[in-house]
Amino acid sequence: EVQLVESGGGLVQAGGSLRLSCAASGFTFDDYAIGWFRQAPGKEREGVSCIMSSDGSTYYADSVKGRFTTSSDNAKKLVYLQMNSLKPEDTAVYYCAAIPRRLRSCRRFASLPYDYWGQGTQVTVSS
């Protein structure tokens, strides 16, 4: 059974940092694309970033570029989202999603057909 479990969310003041983790199980962690998404109350889900195992390439939404960094530890089957300089508008439930096969690119990560989703972790940024 494939599972994605996010952790690391919480309450932080504006300007602070959080690191989210996405723990994957149930599929080989050789070829994949892992995306991070977020959804704020009353808003549509937004793609945040993507990382590919094949070459380690990463892509980011303009709204987080320069502040967020995604990385992976393939030995531990973990993908991280380091969030710095957080703003109140970053408040949302954050989800990771996986495509457990090789892609040519995840540049268009917001619209890719992810096979699996985690349950989400709440991030709240106070002003």
Side-chain angles (χ1 to χ4, degrees):
E1 179 188 7
V2 173
Q3 280 194 317
L4 299 173
V5 180
E6 302 94 337
S7 60
L11 174 64
V12 64
Q13 288 189 332
S17 298
L18 282 174
R19 188 178 78 161
L20 305 183
S21 299
C22 174
S25 62
F27 66 95
T28 57
F29 219 59
D30 297 329
D31 288 320
Y32 63 82
I34 300 277
W36 284 98
F37 291 78
R38 65 187 182 185
Q39 188 164 22
K43 294 189 176 181
E44 291 188 356
R45 187 175 63 199
E46 175 189 16
V48 174
S49 71
C50 182
I51 185 168
M52 290 180 56
S53 63
S54 56
D55 59 3
S57 56
T58 55
Y59 301 91
Y60 299 93
D62 288 342
S63 58
V64 306
K65 204 171 291 183
R67 300 188 298 123
F68 291 12
T69 303
T70 189
S71 61
S72 64
D73 184 334
N74 290 337
K76 296 182 179 179
K77 292 191 174 183
L78 288 169
V79 173
Y80 303 104
L81 183 67
Q82 177 67 44
M83 305 185 296
N84 299 328
S85 302
L86 283 161
K87 306 175 181 180
E89 52 263 43
D90 294 319
T91 294
V93 178
Y94 283 71
Y95 302 89
C96 61
I99 300 174
R101 55 189 175 277
R102 180 170 293 198
L103 301 179
R104 282 190 294 180
S105 171
C106 68
R107 182 182 301 274
R108 297 182 179 182
F109 55 88
S111 59
L112 292 175
Y114 294 88
D115 296 283
Y116 305 102
W117 292 79
Q119 84 290 347
T121 185
Q122 177 70 47
V123 171
T124 303
V125 185
S126 62
S127 57

